[in-house]
């Protein structure tokens, strides 16, 4: 039986090639994802571990948040504590660390590193062991700075140049005194690191006389744990805590692993989709191969082979096919992983140097996935063939599915589809995240149900295309008949394309609807002409609002300032606003009371009010950040949205209780409205600061649109793999169908149908099957997009369903294009058949 299986694989090399390609693509996606994420994770972990080489023990301030009525208070690392740490038994040296966000502009005035990885800190003395100098000297004084060598190279800075930068608002223009090397992971990721002398850094980052961390180096012969024990004895336990450098490196490695696991999971989901689509091709291929070899298998049964042996022979063929596909997929995946890493570099994302990581787990996963997926898909055709009695198989009595089997299939499909629709509709009545799991379950049940029902659906849907096919004469009529001749095969072929288009359409509907809803939300909730914020999402200096308020033409300004507080033994964040101006800058719907902010009067969003049982006129006690308490009155309750929510109170009431006030945004209105001239005036008032964004509502909308477009393009690219596999499926089915119908095609040629007619027949058959899958996919995608939107609508009052008719038309055109392209080779092959040889074939 082994020799028989091997001979069958070698005899059907061409017919199995598409199956090998489909499995290979899926395995390549899986192994490429694992190689890429393992390589990136390993590179960052090794880079971050090097960053802790100069840290044996780190001393950090002890947080006292959520203790009693005090919140946000922390211990302070002062100069005396630094001296104590340096003199602890076993300590060789101690360095005080100061850090914070610092935006650096390139020579064109654009922000380097995108904001999120732009950090600043202090250079310790003239020779800091953490940052070896590559050129120049250490910075001294308020007007000097050192840049990491990679940032200096990318931006074209060198010692003696003046660089524009910003620390929480004000623009600085210090001179670059030197460049240094660093293993900082943020720099490796494409960010920047800027170092001032210690006194300047303390002043800029509001840490005068204090440090964010104290890094202690152990003396020779002293272990990290021993040094930590010594420091714990000499430092006050109520204001500090210690961590070893090894623990810091391990924590960093865990964070990196967690960060890359999300990317890995996302990529593997799409790899799984491609493999899932590939199972249809494998099942189709083996079903057709087994059907063509029915008499051969019957003869094997007749000479003594058991059912199990027949099934095992088919599974053995699948094993050989899967093994070849898995090995080639693994090799291709290694190339994909290396290419993805290179692509990150070409797109401007910097990755630390390191070897390509091909772990034993990656190899095992690739082989296991390829072989198991292929054998599972081939098991049902093999089992079905083994159950056919030899006499029936030799006389082809088994050829057509019985009415009973079709009724059972349709009943099961209807039950699955009905259950899926019911669960999805039930999930739409739930709130937010509670409905995600039921909706996912319903979607899976519905897709399975539609797949099972596809043979039943194929007849009416393909029949609807009959009027169009009549235009092509006898070729069109034959194409329609061929499409519905074997509904199961047509269904499996169309389903592969259906799944890809379902996902693409559903995500497009959701993205378009969300974009429209956010535009509507911004237009209805915000009256302000401009919103000013930091590029990295950090807080603004309160000086920013003061500068903007003094600009000619600015009529109203208000910050949106976040401040922690304790209310009813829970932490709530207050939003400090300008009570006199906030009503002119927003247009929030008031459910009860009045929108009045000032003194002890506040307004509260409906969600917060409901959670605390408040209404207009309610009184509550708040404990501020400094521990002092005050009674506030709810003047009104407003409808919250994704842009504005929370407890709003006047900044005049909040400010006395804040030690370090910071604004998340500043909203402003001008007498002349929005214009390029007004925007330029505002940016100049802020010193053309690269770290600060000045946006009107259109800019906000465009920024959100860019995020959705980027996300969609990435998803389209990933789902393209599933579409490619689906194309292979159509080619494979048509090619094997042509082989199966060789005698019929020969007869058609003999009675007068020319080669062009044969080609047209195969192409139209492919087109009909592809459009059938496209219509099903787009229909399901719209349904899922609507259902997911209903779930989002429970949390977003402005949500509005938007059907992207133009894009859906493009998707349908894509399905048609798939059909036309997939039929090129099979149609040419059919037309070139020798009619006499074809008529004599069995």
């Amino acid at each position: 039986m082994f020799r028989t299986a091997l001979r069958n694989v070698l005899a059907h090399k061409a017919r199995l090639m598409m199956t090998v390609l489909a499995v290979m693509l899926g395995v390549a996606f899986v192994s490429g994802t694992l190689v890429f994420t393992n390589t990136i994770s390993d590179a960052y972990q090794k880079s971050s571990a090097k960053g802790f080489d100069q840290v044996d023990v780190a001393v950090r301030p002890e947080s006292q948040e959520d203790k009693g009525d005090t919140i946000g208070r922390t211990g302070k690392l002062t100069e005396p504590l630094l001296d104590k740490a340096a003199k602890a038994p076993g300590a060789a040296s101690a360095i005080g660390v100061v850090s914070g966000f610092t935006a650096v502009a390139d020579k064109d005035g654009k922000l380097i590193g995108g904001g999120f990885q732009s950090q600043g800190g202090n250079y310790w003395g003239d020779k800091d062991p953490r940052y070896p100098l590559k050129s120049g000297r250490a910075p001294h004084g308020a007007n000097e700075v050192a840049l990491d060598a990679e940032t200096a190279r990318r931006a074209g800075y060198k010692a003696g140049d003046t660089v524009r930068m910003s620390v929480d608002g004000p623009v600085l223009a210090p001179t670059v005194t030197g460049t240094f090397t660093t293993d900082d992971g943020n720099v490796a990721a494409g960010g920047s690191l800027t170092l001032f002398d210690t006194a300047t850094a303390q002043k800029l980052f509001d840490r005068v006389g204090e440090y964010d961390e104290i890094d202690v180096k152990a003396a020779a012969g002293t272990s990290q744990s021993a040094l930590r024990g010594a420091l714990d004895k000499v430092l006050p336990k109520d204001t500090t805590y210690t961590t070893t450098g090894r623990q810091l490196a391990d924590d960093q490695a865990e964070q990196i692993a967690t960060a890359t696991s999300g990317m890995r999971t996302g990529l593997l989901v799409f790899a799984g989709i491609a493999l899932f689509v590939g199972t249809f091709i494998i099942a189709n291929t083996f079903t057709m191969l087994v059907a063509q070899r029915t008499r051969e298998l019957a003869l094997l049964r007749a000479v003594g082979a058991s059912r199990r042996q027949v099934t095992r022979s088919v599974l053995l063929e699948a094993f050989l096919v899967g093994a070849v596909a898995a090995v080639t997929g693994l090799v291709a995946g290694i190339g994909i992983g290396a290419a993805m890493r290179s692509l990150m570099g070409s797109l401007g994302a910097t990755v630390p140097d390191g070897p390509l990581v091909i772990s034993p787990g990656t190899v095992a996963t690739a082989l296991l996935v390829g072989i198991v997926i292929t054998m599972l898909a081939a098991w049902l055709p093999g089992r079905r063939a083994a159950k056919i009695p030899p006499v029936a198989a030799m006389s082809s009595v088994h050829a057509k599915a019985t009415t009973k089997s079709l009724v059972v299939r349709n009943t099961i499909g209807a039950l699955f589809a009905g259950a899926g629709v019911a669960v999805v509709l039930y999930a739409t009545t739930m709130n937010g995240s509670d409905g995600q799991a039921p909706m996912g379950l319903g979607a899976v049940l519905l897709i399975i149900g539609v797949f099972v029902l596809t043979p039943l659906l194929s007849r009416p849907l393909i029949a609807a295309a009959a009027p169009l096919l009549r235009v092509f004469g006898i070729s069109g009529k034959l194409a329609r008949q061929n499409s519905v001749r074997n509904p199961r095969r047509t269904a499996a072929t169309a389903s592969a394309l259906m799944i890809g288009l379902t996902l693409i359409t559903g995500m497009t509907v959701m993205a378009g609807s969300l974009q429209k809803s956010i535009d509507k939300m911004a237009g209805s909730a915000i009256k302000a002409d401009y919103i000013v914020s930091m590029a990295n999402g950090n807080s603004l200096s309160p000086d920013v609002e003061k500068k903007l308020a003094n600009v000619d033409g600015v009529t109203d300004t208000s910050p949106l300032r976040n401040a922690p507080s304790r209310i009813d033994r829970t932490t709530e964040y207050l939003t400090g606003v300008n009570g006199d101006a906030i009503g002119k800058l927003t247009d929030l719907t008031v459910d009860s009371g009045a929108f009045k902010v000032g003194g002890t009067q506040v307004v509260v969003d409906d969600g917060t009010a409901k959670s605390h049982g408040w209404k207009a006129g309610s009184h509550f006690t708040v404990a501020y950040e400094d521990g002092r308490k005050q009674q506030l009155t709810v003047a009104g309750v407003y409808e919250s949205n994704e842009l504005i929510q929370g407890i709003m109170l006047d900044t005049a009431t909040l400010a006395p209780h804040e030690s370090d006030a910071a604004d998340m945004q500043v909203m402003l209105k001008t007498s002349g409205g929005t214009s390029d001239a007004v925007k330029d005036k505002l940016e100049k008032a802020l010193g053309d600061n690269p770290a600060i964004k000045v946006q009107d509502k259109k800019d906000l909308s465009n920024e959100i649109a860019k995020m959705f477009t980027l996300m969609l393009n990435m998803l389209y690219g990933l789902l393209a793999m599933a579409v490619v596999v689906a194309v292979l499926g159509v080619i494979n089915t048509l090619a094997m169908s042509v082989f199966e119908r060789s005698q019929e095609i020969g007869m058609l040629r003999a009675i007068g149908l020319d080669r062009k007619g044969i080609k047209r027949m195969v192409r139209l058959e492919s087109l009909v099957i592809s459009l059938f899958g496209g219509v099903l996919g787009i229909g399901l995608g719209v349904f899922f997009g609507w259902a997911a939107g209903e779930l989002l609508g429970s949390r977003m009052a402005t949500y509005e369903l938007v059907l992207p008719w133009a894009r859906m038309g493009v998707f349908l055109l894509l399905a048609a294009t798939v059909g036309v392209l997939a039929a090129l080779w099979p149609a040419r092959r059919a037309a070139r058949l020798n009619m006499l040889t074809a008529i004599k074939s069995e």
Side-chain angles (χ1 to χ4, degrees), residues 393-423:
M394 287 182 180
S395 58
S396 299
V397 174
H398 71 289
K400 293 185 179 179
T402 63
T403 303
K404 180 182 176 182
S405 69
L406 291 174
V407 169
V408 170
R409 177 178 179 133
N410 293 337
T411 303
I412 293 172
L415 289 173
F416 268 92
V421 171
V423 173

Side-chain angles (χ1 to χ4, degrees), residues 562-597:
N562 279 359
S565 70
R566 298 280 296 183
I567 301 172
D568 295 338
R569 298 180 178 237
T570 61
T571 300
E572 290 281 2
Y573 278 85
L574 306 173
T575 302
V577 298
N578 181 339
D580 295 330
I582 192 64
K584 303 173 187 176
L585 299 169
T586 59
D587 189 15
L588 300 169
T589 302
V590 180
D591 290 337
S592 62
F595 195 87
K596 186 177 181 181
V597 180

Side-chain angles (χ1 to χ4, degrees), residues 635-658:
V637 178
Y638 66 91
E639 289 184 10
S640 65
N641 57 60
E642 297 298 314
L643 297 177
I644 301 175
Q645 56 187 303
I647 303 170
M648 291 190 196
L649 78 164
D650 200 301
T651 50
T653 305
L654 179 63
H657 306 284
E658 292 183 293

Side-chain angles (χ1 to χ4, degrees), residues 20 181 325 345 367 573 630 687 708 759:
V20 170
T181 58
L367 295 176
Y573 278 85
Q630 186 176 26
F708 282 127
K759 283 184 179 181

Side-chain angles (χ1 to χ4, degrees), residues 535-702:
N536 70 329
N538 277 5
S539 55
L540 291 161
S541 166
D543 291 337
V544 170
E545 190 208 356
K546 294 176 183 176
K547 289 181 180 179
L548 291 171
N550 292 326
V551 175
D552 184 37
V554 173
T555 58
D556 298 285
T557 64
S558 175
L560 292 179
R561 180 178 301 175
N562 279 359
S565 70
R566 298 280 296 183
I567 301 172
D568 295 338
R569 298 180 178 237
T570 61
T571 300
E572 290 281 2
Y573 278 85
L574 306 173
T575 302
V577 298
N578 181 339
D580 295 330
I582 192 64
K584 303 173 187 176
L585 299 169
T586 59
D587 189 15
L588 300 169
T589 302
V590 180
D591 290 337
S592 62
F595 195 87
K596 186 177 181 181
V597 180
T600 60
Q601 290 188 311
V602 301
V603 291
V604 184
D605 71 276
D606 49 5
T608 304
K610 184 178 179 180
S611 66
H612 288 281
W614 297 336
K615 57 185 179 181
S618 296
H619 303 282
F620 64 92
T621 301
V622 59
Y624 293 109
E625 187 178 0
D626 61 357
R628 287 188 283 175
K629 298 180 180 179
Q630 186 176 26
Q631 189 177 69
L632 302 175
T633 302
V634 178
V637 178
Y638 66 91
E639 289 184 10
S640 65
N641 57 60
E642 297 298 314
L643 297 177
I644 301 175
Q645 56 187 303
I647 303 170
M648 291 190 196
L649 78 164
D650 200 301
T651 50
T653 305
L654 179 63
H657 306 284
E658 292 183 293
S659 57
D660 185 17
D663 300 334
M664 297 308 296
Q665 294 177 340
V666 175
M667 304 171 74
L668 62 93
K669 200 169 185 62
T670 65
S671 57
T674 59
S675 68
D676 291 340
V678 171
K679 187 174 181 179
D680 289 342
K681 187 190 296 184
L682 296 173
E683 289 176 342
K684 286 180 181 178
L686 297 173
D688 289 323
N689 194 320
I692 298 179
K693 297 187 295 185
V694 179
Q695 298 174 299
D696 58 21
K697 284 185 280 190
K698 185 178 179 182
D699 293 331
L700 280 174
S701 177
N702 290 339

Side-chain angles (χ1 to χ4, degrees), residues 11-59:
H12 301 112
K13 294 189 293 292
R15 277 177 266 173
L16 288 170
M17 185 56 64
M18 292 298 172
T19 299
V20 170
L21 280 173
V23 180
M24 185 201 76
L25 284 173
V27 172
F29 206 158
V30 171
S31 54
T33 295
L34 295 175
V35 168
F36 172 67
T37 53
N38 286 342
T39 299
I40 296 298
S41 179
D42 181 73
Y44 276 117
Q45 286 179 17
K46 287 181 178 177
S47 176
S48 66
K50 288 181 182 178
F52 294 109
D53 285 347
Q54 298 298 323
V55 183
D56 286 317
V57 177
V59 182

